[in-house]
């Protein structure tokens, strides 16, 4: 009976509160929540942008799965990057790129600095940009998992507990759930723009297409400033994590030999 009592909603809630009480985890958790909302909204609006703003045809869109090349490049290069650059710097760079790129491409069109819609050169530019964004998004995903491993070490250093299941479940659930929220927000934006349903590109008023570009290419990407701000407060740099991990190794060795006390748990300096 007592064993079954351990598995209760109150225990799950207390475990979640303990995880969220780890400041470094909370920062990453909130950054993922907001970043996933933005990504979900942009992904849902991408078809509208490609079809109506960029004037791409279904034949053009069939080339976009080439973005898998970007994922392959990211996986093959991430170990080299991680050896030379701090994880915090990598993630801040990915968020900053997604912000700048999201605004940059659409504004190139507004300033007439891109080839005309319908040209092969424009299609090549857009596909290349999509591959580049895939590289950055994949690197961010890999680094996010790596950062979680560092936070687990920090939590063990601080409290003596490791909540692998809770941490990764919370991040995974929030990413998927809030990505769905981004899709809902995208629908609200489409309704707000009074976008005609099932309309041909030639039937959509020019001002509606301009407003679509402003929303997707300026308004939504600017929200990346929030996860950038949150992650700038992240304190587990490479040197700090190495210090923490070194102390954990010593602590585990002392625990194995019986020379250990709960008073050794310390907060991050």
């Amino acid at each position: 009976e007592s064993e079954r009592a351990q598995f209760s909603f109150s225990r799950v809630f207390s475990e979640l509160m303990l995880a969220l009480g780890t400041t470094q985890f909370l920062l990453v958790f909130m950054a993922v929540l907001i970043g996933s909302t933005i990504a979900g909204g942009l992904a849902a609006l991408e078809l509208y942008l490609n079809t109506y703003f960029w004037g791409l045809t279904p034949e053009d869109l069939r080339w976009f799965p080439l973005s898998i090349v970007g994922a392959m490049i990211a996986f093959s290069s991430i170990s080299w990057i991680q050896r030379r650059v701090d994880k915090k710097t990598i993630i801040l760079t990915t968020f900053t790129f997604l912000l700048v790129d999201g605004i940059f491409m659409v504004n190139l069109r507004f300033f007439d600095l891109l080839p005309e819609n319908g040209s092969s050169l424009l299609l090549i530019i857009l596909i290349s940009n999509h591959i580049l964004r895939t590289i950055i998004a994949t690197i961010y995903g890999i680094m996010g998992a790596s950062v979680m491993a560092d936070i687990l070490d920090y939590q063990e250093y601080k409290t003596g507990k490791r909540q692998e299941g809770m941490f990764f479940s919370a991040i995974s659930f929030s990413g998927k759930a809030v990505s769905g929220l981004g899709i809902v927000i995208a629908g609200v934006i489409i309704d707000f723009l009074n976008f005609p349903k099932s309309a041909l590109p030639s039937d959509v008023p020019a001002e509606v297409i301009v407003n679509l570009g402003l929303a997707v290419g300026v308004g939504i990407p600017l929200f990346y400033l929030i996860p950038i701000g949150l992650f700038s407060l992240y304190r587990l740099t490479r040197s700090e994590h190495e210090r923490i991990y070194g102390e954990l190794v010593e602590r585990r060795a002392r625990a194995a030999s019986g020379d250990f006390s709960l008073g050794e748990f310390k907060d991050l300096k």
Side-chain angles (χ1 to χ4, degrees):
E1 185 71 31
S2 61
E3 284 294 316
R4 288 197 298 270
Q6 293 182 3
F7 299 93
S8 64
F9 286 111
S10 61
R11 181 168 181 247
V12 171
F13 181 76
S14 64
E15 291 283 331
L16 179 60
M17 290 300 100
L18 177 62
L20 294 178
T22 304
T23 306
Q24 302 304 300
F25 172 71
L26 183 59
L27 288 172
V28 174
F29 181 75
M30 294 302 298
V32 169
L33 278 175
I34 298 169
S36 297
T37 301
I38 298 168
L42 290 174
L45 292 168
E46 186 175 27
L47 181 61
Y48 286 90
L49 195 71
N50 285 336
T51 302
Y52 298 100
F53 188 84
W54 297 118
L56 301 182
T57 65
E59 290 73 24
D60 295 330
L61 295 175
R62 68 182 179 177
W63 294 103
F64 278 78
L66 286 173
S67 60
I68 192 174
V69 173
M72 295 169 62
I73 293 172
F75 277 111
S76 63
S77 61
I78 189 61
S79 60
W80 182 88
I81 295 172
Q82 190 172 347
R83 285 196 301 268
R84 290 161 175 80
V85 185
D86 191 89
K87 295 176 186 178
K88 176 179 178 178
T89 301
I90 295 173
I91 292 183
L92 283 175
T93 301
T94 60
F95 276 137
T96 302
F97 174 87
L98 293 172
L99 165 63
V100 173
D101 181 74
I103 296 175
F104 184 70
M105 288 298 294
V106 169
N107 278 277
L108 285 179
R109 162 60 69 234
F110 285 144
F111 287 103
D112 293 324
L113 296 175
L114 286 175
E116 292 295 321
N117 285 6
S119 69
S120 299
L121 181 55
L122 176 65
L123 179 60
I124 292 172
I125 291 172
L126 293 176
I127 292 173
S128 300
N129 181 256
H130 199 65
I131 292 173
L132 183 57
R133 290 180 66 88
T134 302
I135 293 173
I136 298 301
T138 304
I139 289 175
Y140 162 70
I142 297 171
M143 283 295 95
S146 183
V147 162
M148 289 304 301
D150 292 352
I151 295 175
L152 284 168
D153 285 340
Y154 166 58
Q155 190 199 34
E156 182 182 356
Y157 171 81
K158 180 182 178 182
T159 68
K161 296 187 64 175
R162 291 180 71 90
Q163 293 180 283
E164 287 98 336
M166 179 60 70
F167 276 27
F168 283 100
S169 296
I171 288 291
S172 176
F173 175 78
S174 65
K176 293 175 181 178
V178 182
S179 179
L181 176 60
I183 296 174
V184 173
I185 293 174
V188 172
I189 291 174
I190 289 298
D191 289 340
F192 180 77
L193 295 175
N194 293 318
F195 209 93
K197 299 182 185 299
S198 303
L200 296 173
S202 58
D203 296 335
V204 180
E207 63 270 18
V208 173
I209 294 177
V210 169
N211 289 336
L212 174 67
L214 289 172
V216 181
V218 180
I220 297 178
L222 282 175
F223 282 98
Y224 275 117
L225 289 171
I226 300 175
I228 289 173
L230 288 170
F231 217 87
S232 66
L233 300 175
Y234 181 73
R235 297 167 58 190
L236 288 177
T237 60
R238 176 178 296 170
S239 59
E240 187 62 34
H241 176 256
E242 288 175 352
R243 180 185 69 81
I244 289 173
Y245 186 75
E247 293 203 21
L248 282 178
V249 170
E250 292 181 8
R251 183 184 295 173
R252 291 165 186 162
R254 290 195 299 272
S257 65
D259 181 19
F260 180 76
S261 68
L262 293 177
E264 294 188 31
F265 298 134
K266 295 173 281 188
D267 202 348
L268 181 64
K269 295 179 181 178

